[in-house]
Amino acid sequence: MRIAVMATCLGDAVAPQAVRATVELLERLGHDVVFPPGQTCCGQMHVNTGYLREALPVVRHSTEVFGPVADGEWDAVVAPSGSCTGCVRHQHAMVARRGGDETLAVRAEAVAARTYELSELLVDVLGVTDVGAYYPHRVTYHPTCHSLRMLRVGEKPLQLLRAVRGLELVELPDAEVCCGFGGTFAIKNADTSTAMLADKMTAVLSTGAEVCTAGDSSCLMHIGGGLGRLRTGVRTVHLAEILASTEATQTPSARSLATGVAAEPSRAERGDPLESADPRQEAPL
Amino acid sequence: MSAGGGAREEVLARLRAGRDAGAPRVAPGPVPRDYARRGEHEPGSAGALALLVERVEDYRATVTRVAGEGDVAGAVARLLVHAASVAVPPGLDRAWLEGTSAAVVVDGEPQALTAAALDHVDAVLTGAAVAVAETGTFVLDAAAPDQGRRMLTLVPDHHVCVIRARDVVGTVPEALARLDPAHPLTFVSGPSATSDIELDRVEGVHGPRRLDVVLVG
Amino acid sequence: MSTTDLPLPTVRPAHAPPGVGNLRGTRSFPAEARESLQDTQLRRNLGKATGVIRAKRAAVVDEVPDWEELRLAGSAIKTDVMARLPELLEQLEASVTARGGVVHWARDAAEANVIVLDLVRATGADEVVKVKSMATQETGLNEALEAGGVAAWETDLAELIVQLGEDRPSHILVPAIHRNRSEIREIFLREMPGVDPDLTDEPRRLAMAARAHLRRKFLSAQVAVSGANFAVADSGTLSVVESEGNGRMCLTLPRTLITLMGVEKVVPTWADLEVFLQLLPRSSTGERMNPYTSTWTGVTPGDGPQEFHLVLLDNGRSGVLADVDGRAALNCIRCSACLNVCPVYERAGGHAYGSVYPGPIGAVLSPLLTGITGEDDPNASLPYASSLCGACFDACPVRIDIPNLLVQQRAASVESHHRPTGQDVAMRAARVAMTSPGRFRAAEKGLGLGRALGGRSGRITALPWPASRWTSSRDVPVPPAETARDWFARTRPGRER
């Protein structure tokens, strides 16, 4: 299959390891992966913050960049993100219609019909649950809200994880409760967001897992940012990275900065002479 | 009659304007009614009765099953053994009271009972119009002679309700189809209760704190 | 009675006017939440209560095989109601009138309060007993009655707790959900005349105390005020769904009954109740059926109130109806399921919303009813009081797409701005970057500066405002040395497209 990867703005700029893993995984499965160079962002931040007019040109741009999938040039578009896929599928046409652009709405719907979140693409489109991955770690899975309730990916990520060799999957208590990220919610309602994060971290820590995984780098950045701040020693790793990992590649290794947010032990393991947790010493400006 | 004509016309005009301005882009189709109208069990069937018993008891009401009309009096007498007085609607089958030692107060004989008078009556005995097995509910029809005015079943602290097997249906839709909305109706599901303290259900607030059902047939 | 149907040419759908009633708080949601989140007792009480009700609801919803079909029917009936609202209300008026009731129309909260006060005064009574009603909370009826010399006695246990504690309601179904049993005991001991001084905090004992407190009131009250859960247009039947029996007391014993209801509560036919009487109890208290549902049609000689008044309230509903997306909020049957599953509500509590309608549905219904007046309007902040997690939609018995309504009301909030806010400027800049790959790459390069902040630790722990709102509790990953697009171009040259 010829598959275009939608890196997402966050995935491109802040969490490229999930995008790299998506590309490598799909190539390992024998597919031809392209990276449309004009891509920027799906516009979700604008939509979900209420900037529907500002979102319109962003949606138009995204629909243009990924339009070839509607014309059959590619077989599918894949995003390593439930929420960005959800935005394409459930919000792009709405934004276009609200802006009075019915032509764009129809085109956006055609693109959306072939745009998939990673676990959907693997299980529903490619029909594979065992991707041949190896990941010898104790892992718990957080179903992100938009993959769970917008896309209804259901058990698909868990099916994929259960087939990973070496992986010990532990159930996350209250898994379906939001982690508190919510895009600009995390900034606009930082106190409530933090209260939700605290409960999610408590649940993650109760599992004894060394890795918390999910299908969205955004939620992982939030959960991982909290776990890192508290020096819990638990990492967040995108589902794509686990699925891309094999005996040969060993990616991501236990020492890699999975989402860029490492837990405390990895510093010590790196032999970092800075043992202090004082943030002022960590920002030598 | 209607009062406040100016407001009436303005509210209706606003709503007409709003209804038109906010009309959906795609006109909605007919209401889909693919839910179950009938229950798993036929009305009056053994399955329906068994489910009703289970669901009523779930509310911490009691159910006494009797084989026939002739056995009602005995069951009622046992349930009212501690009641000094019992109120009944005027059309109640008096045979149901034959074993009871409680003083019988009949609404409307000679005059309608007041709430204050009912506050001194220990119990009330009525029939029911229909019962819903799935939800453990029975419905009192104030126009039915054996169910009576609404205050009768409200003020006394103990309600004994006799339900006939033929009046037990499976579902809420089946029950509503048997009822006349012109009559005052009271749907009763267990004794008075509240969930207002920490959302835990506690039985017994303002309505009858004790509810006993006699199921005939 | 006037029968003219000519629309007045100048009449427009209207928002609820400010100044009367309880649809708007005084501070923004984040400001309120910052305080309530620190109330450890509130957090504990809410966490426990919502946890209990979530489990109960899940159990009784899961046992209904046709739950989705009921939801679809409920949603469709309500959608149909909104499309025919004026006609259904006229039909309801005719049905109620034919059965001896009197129908009144109120443009807004102030008018509704005056109508009710005048009706009470006409009976000569100086007090009323009340059934819990969101509509009367919305209009601030109790305060209006007090000002007019009429005492209003709340009879629902939770409303009584709120009234005695001089508190504000914080939940649609259980207004005192923020109080636990020991707090309720304290309120009763302090405020309830003649209460047993040995009262314990056992819920049964507390319920008994409320029974004793209100018994004489019920037996002597001349006037009752209620809301309505449903009003059936074709039969003129009103319905109140309740648990304790206080509703039955109010609907049955007084001579005069005054019911105040929002116009959206009408349903077309008696048979439509077969849907809602299944959806509502399981969604609200998590029971197969609530203990008592009363239905009545006008006046029944010799049984119940001999004088019945129905007050139909607009107070912003016509304005909501005019909103293509927003009108779905009028489908709400006030079950509270969305509150109970909302992680934001569970932590911040109902008071943080300012309005009597809290939680996800309140976060859209309140601004829809009042309109949003500008960036400083407290209701402008309500649509943002959600992480858009979508749990509310799944729980809603009439399938209101609350996440979509939240987004639409965020748009209304943005469009209300009188002057550009910092957020407006940032979003415009982001749009400019995101519509051009060249500008987007330039912006990504700017992020590279963040690498310096992270140093060797791989994380950033402190950033200046407004990003400090993130770093106050969360580290930020250091931007990577290479973006995904650069990696792809480097490792797979020529295969980008």
Side-chain angles (χ1 to χ4, degrees):
Chain A
M1 267 191 149
R2 201 164 156 79
I3 300 164
V5 63
M6 177 183 282
T8 80
C9 62
L10 189 81
D12 186 26
V14 183
Q17 64 279 6
V19 182
R20 290 202 306 261
T22 301
V23 171
E24 286 165 356
L25 168 65
L26 292 172
E27 286 177 346
R28 190 176 82 215
L29 294 173
H31 301 284
D32 183 15
V33 182
V34 298
F35 191 109
Q39 61 179 294
T40 57
C41 170
C42 66
Q44 183 182 196
M45 178 180 74
H46 285 101
V47 176
N48 284 352
T49 313
Y51 290 81
L52 299 187
R53 276 188 218 156
E54 299 284 352
L56 182 60
V58 183
V59 167
R60 186 174 290 123
H61 180 79
S62 176
T63 306
E64 276 169 22
V65 167
F66 292 100
V69 78
D71 303 328
E73 190 173 325
W74 312 317
D75 299 301
V77 173
V78 67
S81 164
S83 69
C84 300
T85 307
C87 177
V88 170
R89 203 176 291 168
H90 295 289
Q91 295 182 321
H92 275 191
M94 178 273 285
V95 170
R97 292 215 164 85
R98 207 175 187 273
D101 193 339
E102 181 63 24
T103 311
L104 175 61
V106 171
R107 182 73 171 167
E109 280 168 347
V111 171
R114 290 185 175 214
T115 301
Y116 304 93
E117 181 269 345
L118 179 61
S119 72
E120 290 180 325
L121 179 81
L122 291 168
V123 178
D124 292 345
V125 182
L126 304 180
V128 57
T129 50
D130 185 348
V131 297
Y134 170 71
Y135 194 76
H137 300 284
R138 186 175 166 94
V139 175
T140 193
Y141 169 73
H142 166 64
T144 63
C145 297
H146 290 175
S147 64
L148 191 69
R149 286 178 283 260
M150 256 178 130
L151 302 180
R152 311 273 174 195
V153 300
E155 285 278 297
K156 286 161 208 166
L158 292 170
Q159 286 176 279
L160 291 160
L161 286 169
R162 285 190 199 110
V164 174
R165 286 190 311 289
L167 188 146
E168 183 192 355
L169 186 62
V170 279
E171 193 180 330
L172 180 66
D174 295 325
E176 298 190 355
V177 178
C178 177
C179 70
F181 171 64
T184 48
F185 173 79
I187 304 285
K188 292 177 74 75
N189 279 284
D191 298 282
T192 308
S193 171
T194 300
M196 292 161 69
L197 173 61
D199 292 342
K200 183 56 71 180
M201 289 195 292
T202 303
V204 169
L205 294 175
S206 78
T207 65
E210 52 184 304
V211 169
C212 173
T213 190
D216 276 272
S217 295
S218 53
C219 306
L220 288 174
M221 188 171 81
H222 173 72
I223 299 169
L227 291 170
R229 170 63 53 88
L230 297 182
R231 315 298 194 255
T232 58
V234 180
R235 287 173 298 133
T236 50
V237 176
H238 194 282
L239 175 68
E241 296 175 77
I242 292 177
L243 299 178
S245 178
T246 63
E247 283 93 336
T249 62
Q250 283 293 303
T251 51
S253 80
R255 287 179 180 77
S256 78
L257 300 179
T259 58
V261 184
E264 190 61 10
S266 66
R267 282 189 63 219
E269 284 162 21
R270 287 202 310 275
D272 192 321
L274 271 176
E275 287 299 325
S276 169
D278 184 343
R280 282 163 300 184
Q281 294 186 41
E282 293 180 2
L285 283 179
Chain B
M1 61 168 275
S2 268
R8 176 186 189 276
E9 293 315 315
E10 186 169 342
V11 169
L12 282 169
R14 285 177 180 184
L15 291 172
R16 283 188 205 104
R19 184 262 311 276
D20 296 342
R25 297 170 188 100
V26 182
V31 173
R33 294 187 189 267
D34 301 325
Y35 53 86
R37 299 249 178 162
R38 304 186 63 93
E40 194 185 327
H41 307 287
E42 282 298 303
S45 67
L49 300 189
L51 187 60
L52 179 72
V53 171
E54 178 203 314
R55 297 286 155 95
V56 169
E57 287 179 341
D58 229 26
Y59 295 127
R60 286 176 223 169
T62 75
V63 182
T64 306
R65 295 195 66 165
V66 298
E69 290 276 338
D71 306 313
V72 172
V76 166
R78 281 189 296 279
L79 292 167
L80 290 177
V81 69
H82 296 299
S85 53
V86 58
V88 298
L92 189 89
D93 185 346
R94 301 293 163 90
W96 290 355
L97 290 160
E98 272 164 14
T100 302
S101 56
V104 177
V105 188
V106 183
D107 188 31
E109 295 180 9
Q111 64 251 43
L113 290 167
T114 62
L118 281 166
D119 199 30
H120 297 289
V121 175
D122 292 335
V124 56
L125 174 66
T126 69
V130 64
V132 184
E134 278 185 3
T135 62
T137 305
F138 61 82
V139 185
L140 301 168
D141 180 341
D146 66 342
Q147 290 151 59
R149 297 186 306 136
R150 285 171 282 173
M151 72 162 67
L152 278 184
T153 50
L154 175 61
V155 180
D157 206 12
H158 178 194
H159 183 189
V160 180
C161 183
V162 180
I163 301 172
R164 295 185 173 91
R166 63 167 187 269
D167 296 325
V168 178
V169 299
T171 66
V172 172
E174 289 172 284
L176 289 195
R178 291 188 179 200
L179 294 165
D180 183 347
H183 303 166
L185 303 171
T186 307
F187 295 63
V188 178
S189 308
S192 157
T194 183
S195 300
D196 281 355
I197 301 165
E198 301 176 9
L199 283 176
D200 254 336
R201 183 174 162 126
V202 189
E203 282 78 16
V205 197
H206 302 296
R209 287 180 282 188
R210 180 175 166 195
L211 176 65
D212 297 309
V213 166
V214 178
L215 182 56
V216 188
Chain C
M1 165 181 146
S2 164
T3 53
T4 170
D5 276 350
L6 290 175
L8 310 180
T10 53
V11 174
R12 296 274 178 278
H15 291 303
V20 185
N22 300 304
L23 286 172
R24 191 184 257 124
T26 53
R27 294 195 301 164
S28 73
F29 183 87
E32 294 282 357
R34 191 165 303 134
E35 284 181 17
S36 60
L37 285 165
Q38 292 175 37
D39 184 340
T40 53
Q41 187 68 65
L42 174 80
R43 297 282 298 276
R44 257 190 81 78
N45 295 353
L46 273 176
K48 182 174 179 215
T50 55
V52 167
I53 195 70
R54 279 198 299 269
K56 285 171 69 179
R57 177 196 165 276
V60 296
V61 165
D62 287 349
E63 74 178 25
V64 180
D66 55 343
W67 185 252
E68 280 313 308
E69 287 75 16
L70 286 166
R71 287 179 83 208
L72 286 165
S75 170
I77 293 168
K78 283 290 190 174
T79 302
D80 173 49
V81 165
M82 299 316 151
R84 298 195 283 138
L85 192 52
E87 293 77 14
L88 289 171
L89 290 168
E90 287 177 294
Q91 189 187 9
L92 174 69
E93 177 189 47
S95 307
V96 169
T97 305
R99 289 295 311 255
V102 183
V103 177
H104 308 258
W105 301 74
R107 280 165 278 221
D108 53 42
E111 191 166 37
N113 293 344
V114 167
I115 290 169
V116 175
L117 179 60
D118 286 349
L119 288 170
V120 176
R121 281 177 168 160
T123 68
D126 62 0
E127 62 178 15
V128 300
V129 285
K130 283 191 68 206
V131 194
K132 192 183 114 48
S133 141
M134 292 310 297
T136 63
Q137 281 183 20
E138 175 187 326
T139 66
L141 178 66
N142 288 7
E143 296 76 9
L145 291 177
E146 301 285 348
V150 172
W153 293 80
E154 292 291 355
T155 65
D156 169 78
L157 179 53
E159 287 283 17
L160 179 68
I161 294 162
V162 168
Q163 190 178 41
L164 289 177
E166 294 181 1
D167 201 351
R168 289 186 297 138
S170 72
H171 189 271
I172 290 174
L173 175 73
V174 189
I177 194 170
H178 56 288
R179 296 290 189 195
N180 67 16
R181 56 187 72 188
S182 60
E183 292 171 293
I184 294 166
R185 171 178 170 269
E186 279 168 37
I187 291 168
F188 280 11
L189 283 176
R190 203 173 60 230
E191 302 292 341
M192 205 179 252
V195 73
D196 176 3
D198 296 327
L199 183 69
T200 69
D201 65 0
E202 189 195 339
R204 178 174 296 274
R205 294 282 306 274
L206 296 169
M208 288 309 101
R211 178 184 169 102
H213 173 65
L214 288 170
R215 192 77 180 174
R216 258 195 313 274
K217 279 288 165 220
F218 284 134
L219 298 180
S220 63
Q222 294 300 303
V223 182
V225 175
S226 85
N229 289 96
F230 307 102
V232 181
D234 73 348
S235 63
T237 306
L238 276 290
S239 175
V240 163
V241 174
E242 53 127 359
S243 294
E244 297 165 15
N246 64 309
R248 292 179 68 191
M249 290 280 179
C250 293
L251 301 171
T252 308
L253 299 185
R255 226 199 83 78
T256 300
L257 171 62
I258 304 165
T259 298
L260 174 64
M261 71 167 226
V263 289
E264 79 281 14
K265 295 287 183 181
V266 67
V267 297
T269 68
W270 171 250
D272 291 324
L273 289 187
E274 71 189 23
V275 175
F276 297 111
L277 290 184
Q278 295 191 71
L279 290 172
L280 180 55
R282 292 183 197 259
S283 299
S284 59
T285 52
E287 295 167 303
R288 295 186 180 106
M289 190 65 91
N290 49 291
Y292 300 130
T293 295
S294 296
T295 70
W296 73 98
T297 305
V299 170
T300 303
D303 186 0
Q306 297 302 293
E307 200 183 314
F308 171 53
H309 297 274
L310 176 63
V311 185
L312 299 172
L313 175 70
D314 179 356
N315 204 37
R317 286 160 179 78
S318 55
V320 185
L321 196 61
D323 185 314
V324 179
D325 297 296
R327 71 158 57 172
L330 295 178
N331 296 359
C332 173
I333 57 173
R334 310 284 189 265
C335 72
S336 314
C338 65
L339 280 62
N340 299 333
V341 300
C342 177
V344 174
Y345 174 86
E346 179 183 341
R347 286 163 184 81
H351 291 159
Y353 296 78
S355 162
V356 294
Y357 300 112
I361 189 64
V364 292
L365 187 58
S366 305
L368 276 163
L369 286 169
T370 61
I372 298 173
T373 58
E375 59 274 14
D376 298 326
D377 182 348
N379 278 1
S381 70
L382 291 186
Y384 294 97
S386 165
S387 63
L388 300 179
C389 83
C392 47
F393 169 74
D394 283 6
C396 178
V398 292
R399 293 176 58 93
I400 300 171
D401 189 351
I402 298 175
N404 178 49
L405 295 189
L406 287 163
V407 169
Q408 303 297 340
Q409 281 306 294
R410 289 176 185 192
S413 183
V414 166
E415 282 157 20
S416 78
H417 292 178
H418 299 294
R419 50 185 160 72
T421 63
Q423 179 181 281
D424 293 340
V425 173
M427 287 292 165
R428 204 163 301 149
R431 184 260 294 162
V432 168
M434 286 169 176
T435 47
S436 149
R439 288 193 295 263
F440 187 72
R441 274 200 290 278
E444 284 183 329
K445 296 262 186 316
L447 276 180
L449 290 172
R451 293 182 60 72
L453 290 169
R456 285 164 299 180
S457 70
R459 62 169 157 256
I460 300 167
T461 56
L463 285 171
W465 189 90
S468 59
R469 290 196 187 162
W470 176 279
T471 54
S472 63
S473 59
R474 292 148 291 207
D475 291 349
V476 180
V478 168
E482 187 175 46
T483 62
R485 79 179 63 230
D486 289 344
W487 167 80
F488 195 96
R490 177 172 60 79
T491 57
R492 288 150 177 81
R495 285 185 43 214
E496 287 169 316
R497 177 99 185 215

